[in-house]
């Protein structure tokens, strides 16, 4: 396309040649979509959008489309097709040939919707075409499948409470604050208009229950995506923003940010906070998503480099200690996410830091590898960096983790196996936690100046890991662990970690009697992917509870959100199993970092309020993922499955939008009610009536009745 005169896409857009940027190549003739099976579509014309860029947004149904962009005469020089290959990679600029003849792009639409195509001719010798799915501009929203539910006429509700409260006893609706004396075993009350037809009945003179892990309400925070309390720590280790969607970069959340929001979390009725792993992550990036379209750092905490150090993106050790202390002052326990299965991927930036001389001969040598970017015009993506590494180099054995520590596909290392224990999960180097021989420190830690790792005689790999993890308990009073990837580590290792945690917390409490909340022992909950509501051998190997994938991972959470009586079977069965065995419990959720945001399914605030009601009345423990209470919108849609679940907390929406403030108030009321009554999570469940739907929960002297009037 060299030599084109400056011009305009259409007569309707007038610019003088003298005002244009002469380095750009503007196109004089109108451009259209050109289909292999039907030719040029004159109704589908691209519009000039400035800087030699031309756009069109069109609705595409599911299917395969073979397309070009061309003028109406399909002229050479204005017939843009693939330079090489033919398939589109979404959201990625692809190089064009301006004289493509019969070469067409193959656009595979898997999800019907609006798609935007952008032709960029700002460099006439390197034109590109990019396609991306667009959010619907209309107000249309999907509706969930209908469920059967009782109806309510909006009038006061009469309910039989004789199985729970005595005649003459004063009963209070915690939601509205109204009180009434029980007469003939009944009370009649008008549900608060904001409650969705709910009554939360308790003895008016009742006292709040003491904390119990059996009734835990855990607020799960991805630290980097919650609140930025200290901007000075946003970019250590030469880490960078990508200036685009930031799907895989650090976004500034830190411990200081959580500390600043502890009163917010307390007001939610939360009595525990679970934070993603706190330890120092790999310094550099890998390629993000299925097609390497963005740089992906360890912002989430699951790609450890040094288990003895806090990652500076999250703050200092002083910041972490202040967070734990301030949480404890508010009666909130702290759970730290721990990883025993794997370490982080090797990166070029870490090679520079560790002095690993394993660059391929053709590799560039930037001052900092975090400065490197792929050349999109040459078809490169962020996976390209792997071509710059000699994976067979002995430097990886001598200067990295070493074959005594991890399994890896690199030369000189133990090869990964094919089972859950010995596999490289997602390609991550697998820690040899089952090893029984004593090992020295990994080679790179022997030379890492700021590590706190100390050589121990007779230690195995798991011995080191257990010491490193439980040092956070012994030094700061961490109350428990959320154990990551549990099924990929030997059960007996989890048992040893739990015992070490119990001892470490007891030591800390003995040394800090003025800071301890109580004498309850160390607690541990495990993530066993897709594990449901049943007890197995994990409870005999360190686990006090397991994350329950059955409820939030299926259709049950949606049905319960639409109509509370839909949860009766779940409530009854969960309560029965939990009460039958004191060594069994669950942690149930509706949203998580690895699955989905409940709100993103239908983006319905009323449904989100119903989800809160259903979850907060759940037997066992419950887990709120940050923003469940405020309908946090999903993050960027990309080919990274987890990006939509890890958006930054929607503080501005909470401040500015009245409907989100009302939603938050609803969740706060539910959370405070649950916090007051151990019977909700740990009590016996008895259904009282179908219409209105009512049930009681009781544990000792703690008794409540929950009433749902129905849908209006």
């Amino acid at each position: 396309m060299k030599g084109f005169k400056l011009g305009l896409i259409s007569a309707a857009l007038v610019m003088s040649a003298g005002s244009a940027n002469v380095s750009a190549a503007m196109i004089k003739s109108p451009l259209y979509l050109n289909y292999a099976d039907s030719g040029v579509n004159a109704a589908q014309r691209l519009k000039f959008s400035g800087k030699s860029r031309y756009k069109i947004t069109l609705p595409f149904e599911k299917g395969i489309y073979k397309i070009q962009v061309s003028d109406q005469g399909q002229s050479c020089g204005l017939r843009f097709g693939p330079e090489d290959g033919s398939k589109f990679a979404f959201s990625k600029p692809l190089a064009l040939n301006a004289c493509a003849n019969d070469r067409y792009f193959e656009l595979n639409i898997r999800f019907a919707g609006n798609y935007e195509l952008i032709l960029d001719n700002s460099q006439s010798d390197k034109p590109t075409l990019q396609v991306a799915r667009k959010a619907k501009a209309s107000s249309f929203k999907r509706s969930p499948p209908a469920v059967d539910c009782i109806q309510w006429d909006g009038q006061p509700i009469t309910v039989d409470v004789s199985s729970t409260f005595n005649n003459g006893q004063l009963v209070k609706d915690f939601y509205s604050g109204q009180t009434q004396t029980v007469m003939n075993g009944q009370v009649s009350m008008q549900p608060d208009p904001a409650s969705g037809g709910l009554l939360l009945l308790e003895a008016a003179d009742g006292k709040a229950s003491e904390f119990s892990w059996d009734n835990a309400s855990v607020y799960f925070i991805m630290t980097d995506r919650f609140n930025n309390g200290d901007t000075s720590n946003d970019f250590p280790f030469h880490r960078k923003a990508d200036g685009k969607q930031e799907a895989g970069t650090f976004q500034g959340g830190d411990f200081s940010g959580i500390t600043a929001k502890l009163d917010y979390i307390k007001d939610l009725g939360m009595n525990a906070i679970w934070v993603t792993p706190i330890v120092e992550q790999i310094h550099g990036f890998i390629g993000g998503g299925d097609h390497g379209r963005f740089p992906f750092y360890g912002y989430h905490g699951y790609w450890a480099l040094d288990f003895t150090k806090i990652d500076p993106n999250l703050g200092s050790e002083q910041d972490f200690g202040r967070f734990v202390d301030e949480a404890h002052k508010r009666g909130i326990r702290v759970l730290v996410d721990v990883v025993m299965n794997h370490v982080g991927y090797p990166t070029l930036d870490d090679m520079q830091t560790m002095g690993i001389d394993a660059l391929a001969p053709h590799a560039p040598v930037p001052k900092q590898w975090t400065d490197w970017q792929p050349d999109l015009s040459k078809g490169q993506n962020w996976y390209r960096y792997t071509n710059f590494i000699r994976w067979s180099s002995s430097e990886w054995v001598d200067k990295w983790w070493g074959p005594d520590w991890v399994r890896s596909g690199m030369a000189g290392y133990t090869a990964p196996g094919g089972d859950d224990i010995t596999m490289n999960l997602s390609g991550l180097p697998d820690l040899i936690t089952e090893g029984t021989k004593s090992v020295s420190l990994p080679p790179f830690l022997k030379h890492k100046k700021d590590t706190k790792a100390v050589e121990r005689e007779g230690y195995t790999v798991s011995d080191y890991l257990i010491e490193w993890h439980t040092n956070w308990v012994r030094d700061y009073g961490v109350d428990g662990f959320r154990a990551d990837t549990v099924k990929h580590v030997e059960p007996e290792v989890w048992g040893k970690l739990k015992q070490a945690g119990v001892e470490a917390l007891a030591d800390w409490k003995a040394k800090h009697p003025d800071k301890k909340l109580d004498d309850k022992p160390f607690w541990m909950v495990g993530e066993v992917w897709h594990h449901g509501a049943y007890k197995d051998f994990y409870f005999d190997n360190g686990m006090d509870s397991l994350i329950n994938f059955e409820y939030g991972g299926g259709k049950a959470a949606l049905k319960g959100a639409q109509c509370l009586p839909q949860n009766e079977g779940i409530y009854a069965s969960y309560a029965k199993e939990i009460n039958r065995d004191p060594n069994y419990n669950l942690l149930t959720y509706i949203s998580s970092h690895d699955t989905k945001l409940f709100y993103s399914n239908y983006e319905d605030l009323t449904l989100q309020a119903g989800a809160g009601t259903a979850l907060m009345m759940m037997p066992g423990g419950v887990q709120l993922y940050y923003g469940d209470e405020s309908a946090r919108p999903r993050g960027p849609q990309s080919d990274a499955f987890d990006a939509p679940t890890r958006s930054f907390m929607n503080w501005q929406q909470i401040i500015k939008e009245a409907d989100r403030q009302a939603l938050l108030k609803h969740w706060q009321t539910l959370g405070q009610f649950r916090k007051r009554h151990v019977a909700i999570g740990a009590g016996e469940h008895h259904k009282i009536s179908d219409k209105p739907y009512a049930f009681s929960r009781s544990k000792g002297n703690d008794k409540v009745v929950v009433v749902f009037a129905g849908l209006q």
Side-chain angles (χ1 to χ4, degrees), residues 174-407:
F174 185 81
Y175 206 105
S176 66
Q178 63 188 302
T179 60
Q180 191 175 102
T181 300
V182 178
M183 297 182 64
N184 299 319
Q186 296 181 330
V187 294
S188 295
M189 290 186 179
Q190 178 72 42
D192 189 295
S195 71
L198 197 65
L199 297 174
L200 304 176
L201 303 180
E202 62 180 8
D205 61 353
K207 296 181 179 180
S209 303
E210 292 184 359
F211 170 79
S212 169
W213 284 110
D214 293 337
N215 187 48
S217 296
V218 180
Y219 194 69
F220 170 28
I221 297 173
M222 181 159 284
T223 304
D224 175 67
R225 303 298 171 89
F226 185 63
N227 188 39
N228 191 343
D230 181 0
T231 57
S232 69
N233 60 30
D234 286 358
F235 297 107
F237 298 139
H238 310 288
R239 292 167 177 160
K240 296 181 182 299
D242 65 21
K244 298 178 181 178
Q245 293 183 318
E246 309 299 344
T249 55
F250 285 87
Q251 294 187 15
D254 48 32
F255 299 128
S256 294
I258 299 177
T259 303
K261 296 295 185 180
L262 284 173
D263 288 334
Y264 169 91
I265 297 169
K266 180 182 178 181
D267 289 345
L268 270 172
M270 299 294 101
N271 46 34
I273 295 173
W274 151 22
V275 293
T276 42
I278 66 176
V279 301
E280 183 179 326
Q281 299 294 287
I282 57 175
H283 296 184
F285 55 75
I286 64 167
D290 294 336
H291 303 287
R293 292 176 185 149
F294 56 89
F296 200 168
Y297 291 88
Y299 68 86
H300 43 66
Y302 297 98
W303 297 344
L305 179 72
D306 188 343
F307 289 100
T308 73
K309 298 285 291 183
I310 284 178
D311 194 283
N313 254 111
L314 308 182
S316 65
E317 291 190 8
Q318 291 74 24
D319 295 333
F320 179 69
R322 188 180 309 113
F323 155 56
V324 176
D325 288 346
E326 290 298 319
H328 285 168
K329 289 177 184 178
R330 292 162 175 80
I332 301 172
R333 279 78 180 163
V334 174
L335 304 175
V336 168
D337 207 325
V338 296
V339 182
M340 296 279 285
N341 174 67
H342 57 263
V343 297
Y345 299 104
T347 75
L348 288 161
D349 195 75
D350 293 302
M351 286 172 58
Q352 282 185 322
T353 301
M354 299 175 192
I356 297 175
D357 183 13
L359 285 179
H362 65 282
V365 187
K367 182 177 180 181
Q368 293 293 333
W369 269 106
T370 47
D371 294 335
W372 178 83
Q373 294 188 14
D375 187 340
L376 301 180
S377 68
K378 295 181 179 179
Q380 294 180 359
N381 60 38
W382 291 91
Y383 288 143
R384 177 72 177 181
Y385 84 93
T386 62
N387 294 339
F388 302 147
I389 299 174
R390 289 184 292 116
W391 300 106
S392 60
S393 171
S394 62
E395 295 269 313
W396 290 107
V397 173
D398 298 334
K399 295 183 180 180
W400 194 49
W401 283 93
D404 287 339
W405 274 83
V406 299
R407 296 180 183 85

Side-chain angles (χ1 to χ4, degrees), residues 27-202:
I27 299 172
K28 188 172 184 179
S29 300
L31 297 177
Y32 309 90
L33 284 198
N34 177 17
Y35 296 86
D37 58 353
S38 57
V40 173
N41 188 330
Q44 296 182 355
R45 184 166 125 188
L46 280 71
K47 293 183 179 181
F48 175 70
S49 63
K51 298 182 180 179
S52 297
R53 287 158 60 92
Y54 309 90
K55 295 182 180 181
I56 186 170
T57 299
L58 291 172
F60 282 109
E61 296 298 322
K62 183 178 179 181
I64 296 176
Y65 300 81
K66 293 186 176 181
I67 64 168
Q68 298 173 337
V69 174
S70 74
D71 68 340
Q72 199 155 10
Q74 303 180 54
S75 308
C76 181
L78 289 174
R79 188 172 183 177
F80 298 96
E83 190 171 69
D84 48 44
S86 63
K87 290 187 178 181
F88 258 117
F90 284 84
S91 301
K92 174 184 177 181
L94 296 180
L96 294 176
N97 186 314
C99 193
N101 296 322
D102 293 328
R103 292 197 302 278
Y104 290 81
F105 286 106
E106 187 174 286
L107 180 59
N108 189 352
I109 302 295
R110 293 186 173 88
F111 302 98
N114 292 331
Y115 289 80
E116 180 182 66
L117 288 85
I118 303 174
L119 188 148
D120 188 339
N121 197 51
S122 55
Q123 298 184 60
S124 60
D125 59 338
K126 296 180 180 180
T128 63
L129 187 65
Q130 180 173 329
V131 62
R133 191 179 184 192
K134 295 280 285 183
K136 293 182 180 179
S138 70
S139 60
F140 172 78
K141 293 192 299 185
R142 291 192 307 145
S143 296
V147 298
D148 292 331
C149 197
I150 57 176
Q151 299 299 305
W152 175 40
D153 60 7
Q155 297 301 307
I157 299 300
T158 300
V159 61
D160 184 339
V161 296
S162 60
S163 62
T164 308
F165 303 118
N166 300 321
N167 278 330
Q169 187 173 3
L170 189 65
V171 174
K172 176 184 176 181
D173 172 26
F174 185 81
Y175 206 105
S176 66
Q178 63 188 302
T179 60
Q180 191 175 102
T181 300
V182 178
M183 297 182 64
N184 299 319
Q186 296 181 330
V187 294
S188 295
M189 290 186 179
Q190 178 72 42
D192 189 295
S195 71
L198 197 65
L199 297 174
L200 304 176
L201 303 180
E202 62 180 8

Side-chain angles (χ1 to χ4, degrees), residues 538-600:
Y538 291 112
F539 290 88
D540 298 322
N541 290 276
M543 300 302 160
D544 298 290
S545 182
L546 290 180
I547 294 173
N548 176 23
F549 287 83
E550 177 182 84
Y551 183 73
K555 298 178 180 178
L558 177 59
K559 291 181 177 180
Q562 293 174 273
C563 180
L564 191 63
Q566 291 282 336
N567 269 5
E568 170 58 28
I570 288 173
Y571 287 166
S573 64
Y574 285 9
K576 179 181 178 181
E577 293 302 314
I578 290 169
N579 279 293
R580 184 166 61 183
D581 189 337
N583 298 314
Y584 169 64
N585 211 312
L586 301 169
L587 193 65
T588 302
Y589 70 94
I590 60 169
S591 305
S592 84
H593 61 319
D594 283 337
T595 55
K596 63 181 179 181
L597 297 182
F598 182 89
Y599 176 68
S600 69

